[in-house]
Amino acid sequence: MLNPIAAPDALSAAAEPLLDLLQDCNHEPFIELLHVVPVTGMTPGTDRMQGLAQAVHDAGGWGSGYQVGAPILPLASPRAWRDILHRQVTKGFMQPPKTEFVPNPRTPDEIRQAGELADGLADLIEAHLGPVRSCGDVGGPHSYCIWWRNLLLVTDSWATILHLAISD
């Protein structure tokens, strides 16, 4: 396993080609990890996920000072976060919007490439943190975003939040 604490920087570097592919003239995409924190000492259950999300926010960065208010329920499958990431970059909000001037902003090959790059980012995250055992949607600061999704990722030893967003 690679260094878990280095995961946010590694993801930022590896995400650049995908972000370039998703970029358009009006919107800027973001794919980033917040801090990585150890899961030791956290109690099991859904309260644990809320506590882990709070610990990630408390570790600093743009989420510092945010209070996680609602319980975080695990998504149906530990792999759901991979599907969400893949779907968002291939046909979701992260794809540049169609306009009257550009009805098909991306070719099928570019969409396929975006999916492959997203799958590579998911593999990179798990190479640093280990296999994700549970994941869930988290609220969070999003004042600069026109769309966002924060996903808590929990492995046997580590937790982080994957932040997907579009800003204008």
Side-chain angles (χ1 to χ4, degrees), residues 34-35 53-54 56-68 140-141 161:
L34 275 65
H35 284 54
Q54 188 64 58
V56 172
H57 281 291
D58 291 347
W62 61 262
S64 181
Y66 175 76
Q67 294 299 308
V68 177
I161 294 175

Side-chain angles (χ1 to χ4, degrees), residues 62-133:
W62 61 262
S64 181
Y66 175 76
Q67 294 299 308
V68 177
I72 300 164
L73 299 176
L75 295 173
S77 162
R79 294 187 52 86
W81 71 277
R82 286 175 162 269
D83 297 336
I84 291 166
L85 174 60
H86 186 93
R87 185 174 48 252
Q88 288 305 327
V89 303
T90 57
K91 56 186 171 190
F93 281 98
M94 296 193 79
Q95 272 293 315
K98 297 176 181 177
T99 68
E100 63 182 302
F101 303 110
V102 185
N104 292 313
R106 298 293 182 258
T107 67
D109 188 53
E110 289 171 323
I111 292 170
R112 180 195 51 76
Q113 183 182 8
E116 290 172 356
L117 290 168
D119 294 343
L121 293 179
D123 291 342
L124 177 71
I125 291 169
E126 289 192 324
H128 278 272
L129 304 178
V132 171
R133 302 294 187 203

Side-chain angles (χ1 to χ4, degrees), residues 33-37 56 129 151-154 158-162:
L33 287 180
L34 275 65
H35 284 54
V36 175
V37 298
V56 172
L129 304 178
L151 299 169
L152 176 68
L153 309 179
V154 182
W158 304 99
T160 188
I161 294 175
L162 176 62

Side-chain angles (χ1 to χ4, degrees), residues 141-158:
H142 56 277
S143 59
Y144 68 91
C145 302
I146 57 175
W147 175 88
W148 61 275
R149 188 143 188 204
N150 292 331
L151 299 169
L152 176 68
L153 309 179
V154 182
T155 70
D156 289 336
S157 302
W158 304 99

